[in-house]
Amino acid sequence: MKENRSASLFPKELVIESLKQSFVKLDPRTMFRNPIMFIVEVVTFVMLIVTVWAAATGNTAQGSAGYNIVVFIVLFLTLLFANFAEAIAEARGKVQADSLRKTREETPAKRVEANGTVTTVSSSQLKKAMSLSARLATRSLPTARSSRGWLRSTRVPLRASRLRSSVRPGAIRAL
């Protein structure tokens, strides 16, 4: 029986790399690109100074040391979470781009040789003026209910304009 493995929302490798990037992105030069998060970072740094000053002097004019520590931790965790979310989105985007690139390279195409034989080649090996063969693709329309009962799904041909414009006209023949 086939093992059913579902894709995880957060793969372990992406999470580890994103956690590293969330600390790297704490650099003020990086944070300056996002003004809101840059202000949160500045306030977090100010809160760190206030917390250390309150703990060292025992002065409670700016709040107790415990309160200042809690505020600092909340601000710092906010920065880390925002950076983590941004890093995970970037990592998933890179993975999707790699997947699309791989699909483009591995897509098979049927090339018509000069003698009329059809060979299957990788789409990355195609050139602009090559003759290709294509089958008329069909699309199933959903089943709908009418006043007379259930209608069956209908198969309709796709438009030929969906084929790539790089294929020269007249080079496509139906199989």
Side-chain angles (χ1 to χ4, degrees), residues 46-127:
V46 168
M47 200 63 212
L48 176 64
I49 293 172
V50 168
T51 302
V52 170
W53 179 73
T57 62
N59 187 353
T60 59
Q62 297 295 325
S64 67
Y67 175 77
N68 290 337
I69 289 171
V70 168
V71 170
F72 168 74
I73 289 172
V74 166
L75 288 171
F76 187 70
L77 289 176
T78 301
L79 285 172
L80 285 180
F81 179 74
N83 288 341
F84 175 75
E86 184 179 351
I88 201 109
E90 287 174 1
R92 293 181 95 192
K94 287 178 185 176
V95 167
Q96 185 176 12
D98 291 341
S99 173
L100 289 173
R101 221 174 278 118
K102 184 178 177 185
T103 301
R104 183 183 67 200
E105 292 172 0
E106 294 178 357
T107 304
K110 292 186 178 182
R111 182 175 62 193
V112 179
E113 302 293 337
N115 61 3
T117 61
V118 177
T119 50
T120 303
V121 295
S122 174
S123 62
S124 61
Q125 297 174 348
L126 296 177
K127 295 188 173 97

Side-chain angles (χ1 to χ4, degrees), residues 19-34:
L19 280 173
K20 291 176 187 175
Q21 285 298 314
S22 64
F23 283 98
V24 170
K25 288 177 184 262
L26 287 175
D27 181 16
R29 294 172 291 190
T30 306
M31 293 297 276
F32 190 71
R33 295 181 196 153
N34 186 347

